[in-house]
Amino acid sequence: MPAEPARPAGSTEQGATVPAEEALANYGRSLVEAVERALGPWLRSTVDAHLGDRWSPEIEAEVHAATAGLVTDVGGRLRQLLEADLDDQWTNPLAILRTATSAPTAILAANGVPEVDRDDHARRLHPDDVYDLGPAAFADLGPEVHEHGLMWGAAKAHLHLQRRKRQETT
């Protein structure tokens, strides 16, 4: 069951205001949980799209093991990023999500799938994504991740603006 998103900063529920920092933290947790739920289906569909009728019980086992690794690795790094204060976040969630391509890349390479032809820009930006699998947007992992990503992004923008306005007045 999807996590209940936080109420936006400044909104009230029975008179209680949710501070912007708390709202951002809650949206961050919801985003991580949505990503962790989506990684397995994304990995499976990504591998399946390249293997098609070559799917086997061995590949199923590889995908299952790789999913557990992705949830631990990508989910953990994403959680660490989103638990950091806004001003201490060193990258963005999509940059972390793009590293998830290592799992399907390893499976596809081990099963003899040839690399895809990519343009110079793609090769320069993502040299290890030889199958051009990287999620370019939250929506690439599914509608739930997209929704939670939008809510987190809006909460981050709100807090960022709130902090900058405070700085301008001091």
Side-chain angles (χ1 to χ4, degrees):
M1 176 199 263
E4 183 67 28
R7 298 184 73 59
S11 70
T12 60
E13 181 177 352
Q14 298 179 7
T17 300
V18 177
E21 287 85 356
E22 183 181 341
L24 180 61
N26 290 336
Y27 283 124
R29 279 189 293 280
S30 295
L31 176 56
V32 171
E33 292 166 2
V35 165
E36 289 175 339
R37 285 189 296 275
L39 284 171
W42 172 81
L43 176 59
R44 182 178 178 71
S45 68
T46 299
V47 171
D48 186 51
H50 286 78
L51 288 178
D53 62 355
R54 294 170 43 193
W55 197 266
S56 68
E58 293 80 17
I59 292 171
E60 181 72 38
E62 290 177 49
V63 167
H64 181 73
T67 296
L70 282 179
V71 169
T72 299
D73 176 46
V74 172
R77 288 187 293 128
L78 189 58
R79 190 174 308 280
Q80 182 182 17
L81 172 71
L82 298 181
E83 286 176 352
D85 182 77
L86 168 73
D87 294 329
D88 296 330
Q89 293 180 0
W90 56 94
T91 190
N92 66 68
L94 278 173
I96 292 173
L97 291 179
R98 287 184 187 109
T99 67
T101 61
S102 63
T105 296
I107 294 169
L108 295 173
N111 286 281
V113 175
E115 297 177 2
V116 300
D117 186 34
R118 300 181 304 144
D119 63 31
D120 291 339
H121 182 72
R123 283 193 301 273
R124 186 173 32 78
L125 284 177
H126 308 289
D128 297 329
D129 189 8
V130 297
Y131 295 104
D132 203 22
L133 308 171
F138 290 123
D140 292 343
L141 272 83
E144 181 188 13
V145 174
H146 175 71
E147 181 180 335
H148 286 281
L150 287 175
M151 291 186 299
W152 172 82
K156 182 176 180 178
H158 173 76
L159 178 57
H160 177 78
L161 289 173
Q162 193 178 61
R163 285 184 178 180
R164 296 316 165 248
K165 284 180 183 178
R166 262 190 255 138
Q167 287 175 346
E168 289 173 5
T169 60
T170 57

